Amino acid sequence: MVYLKTEEEIELIRESSLLVGKTLAEVAKLIKPGVTPLELDAVAEEFIKDHGAIPGFKGYNGFPNTLCTSVNDQVVHGIPSNQPIENGSVISVDCGVVLNGFYGDVAYTFEVGEVSDEIHQLLETTKECLRKGVAAAVAGNRIGDIGYEIQKHAEDNGYGVVRELVGHGLGKNLHEAPEVPNYGRRGSGMKLKEGLVLAIEPMINLGKRNVKQAADGWTIVTADGLVSAHFEHDVVVRKDQVEVLSTHEWIEEVLKNKVNII
Ligand code: MG
Ligand code: MG
């Protein structure tokens, strides 16, 4: 079942999405070698609750925490641990909230300390994949057009596109129809209509596309052990253009100021 949202509902999803962006900006302040994912998780949970919202992931299908924190070869759905993150690592932080009955769902992959040029480039390209996929979410296009843009840009740069996990519709439920694969053929799949709200979230691997599930039953890791990156926005399909409801702006503001301090 695909739900097209009213303007009122879209505003509520925007509020939820923006709160996730603010939560991730709080997390961004703490990212440095030595911090533990569980410390990030505690700060995010408190921030969300202080803003009158409910952590969207905690308890979802039994997930134990507020954040999914996925380090290095972990792609998504990592459970926050008390293992300090090391210089040169990356950590994908995915967060959801429920506010006024609607979900927001946003992810950002952070560099921890100094990362290699190779890893920095993977993160930049994955952000570009997100931008290109988002730009294709226009009324009259099809789901496959989003995946095509993401896949083409990733593979042109020699990266692997994860296929087992996908973006999704978003609203009163965290995962609504339709699925939004990060690969696809132009002109294939469901036609996009105005008012469709989607979470678009490329997961791009430095190496091959294959992934496997870790023993904890949650964490998805790359099969070849190489680093993976993940960025996510919530958007609404409009006529002639897409509207991005979430923002990474506050996160990037924090990161920019950190660099200036060093
Ligand atoms: Mg997410
Ligand atoms: Mg999502």
Side-chain angles (χ1 to χ4, degrees):
M1 180 83 185
V2 172
Y3 298 97
L4 301 177
K5 272 70 179 185
T6 64
E7 289 305 322
E8 210 171 47
E9 290 172 325
I10 290 166
E11 284 317 305
L12 294 177
I13 299 170
R14 188 198 311 277
E15 258 187 70
S16 303
S17 301
L18 292 179
L19 178 57
V20 184
K22 284 180 190 156
T23 306
L24 291 177
E26 292 302 306
V27 168
K29 292 177 186 170
L30 303 171
I31 299 277
K32 62 176 183 193
V35 75
T36 72
L38 268 176
E39 289 169 334
L40 305 177
D41 188 69
V43 166
E45 179 167 352
E46 193 181 346
F47 188 83
I48 291 165
K49 288 179 173 169
D50 282 350
H51 287 77
I54 302 164
F57 295 171
K58 200 168 186 175
Y60 186 86
N61 291 336
F63 189 78
N65 291 83
T66 294
L67 300 178
C68 293
T69 55
S70 307
V71 178
N72 292 335
D73 65 323
Q74 299 178 342
V75 180
V76 287
H77 301 168
I79 299 171
S81 75
N82 57 9
Q83 178 91 27
I85 45 180
E86 291 175 12
N87 184 49
S89 300
V90 297
I91 180 168
S92 141
V93 182
D94 193 349
C95 181
V97 305
V98 193
L99 181 62
N100 302 312
F102 286 87
Y103 278 88
D105 181 15
V106 181
Y108 197 91
T109 301
F110 296 94
E111 301 180 359
V112 182
E114 289 281 314
V115 305
S116 68
D117 289 345
E118 192 184 38
I119 289 175
H120 177 73
Q121 202 46 56
L122 170 69
L123 267 50
E124 289 302 308
T125 304
T126 306
K127 261 188 265 186
E128 290 162 11
C129 287
L130 175 59
R131 268 199 295 277
K132 285 170 181 280
V134 163
V138 175
N141 275 0
R142 290 177 182 271
I143 285 287
D145 293 313
I146 299 172
Y148 170 83
E149 292 295 333
I150 294 170
Q151 180 183 13
K152 180 170 191 333
H153 192 60
E155 291 182 353
D156 281 354
N157 282 278
Y159 300 132
V161 177
V162 174
R163 299 193 178 200
E164 289 79 355
L165 297 121
V166 295
H168 49 92
L170 183 75
K172 286 183 179 165
N173 298 296
L174 178 57
H175 297 118
E176 295 183 359
E179 292 194 340
V180 186
N182 295 304
Y183 63 96
R185 280 182 300 111
R186 266 182 175 158
S188 70
M190 196 191 84
K191 197 176 245 185
L192 304 176
K193 292 192 179 144
E194 287 174 66
L196 181 63
V197 175
L198 300 173
I200 299 178
E201 49 178 318
M203 293 153 241
I204 307 297
N205 296 345
L206 188 57
K208 297 212 172 3
R209 70 173 177 85
N210 310 74
V211 296
K212 57 188 185 182
Q213 190 161 54
D216 63 18
W218 277 105
T219 316
I220 304 297
V221 298
T222 59
D224 60 15
L226 296 178
V227 167
S228 185
H230 177 218
F231 291 87
E232 179 176 28
H233 268 318
D234 303 331
V235 310
V236 58
V237 173
R238 302 282 196 190
K239 192 171 177 278
D240 301 324
Q241 63 171 11
V242 63
E243 185 181 355
V244 183
L245 299 173
S246 53
T247 179
H248 292 154
E249 220 171 280
W250 296 311
I251 299 168
E252 287 174 349
E253 196 64 30
V254 168
L255 298 178
K256 203 172 68 191
N257 291 333
K258 267 183 166 177
V259 171
N260 291 344
I261 291 164
I262 296 163

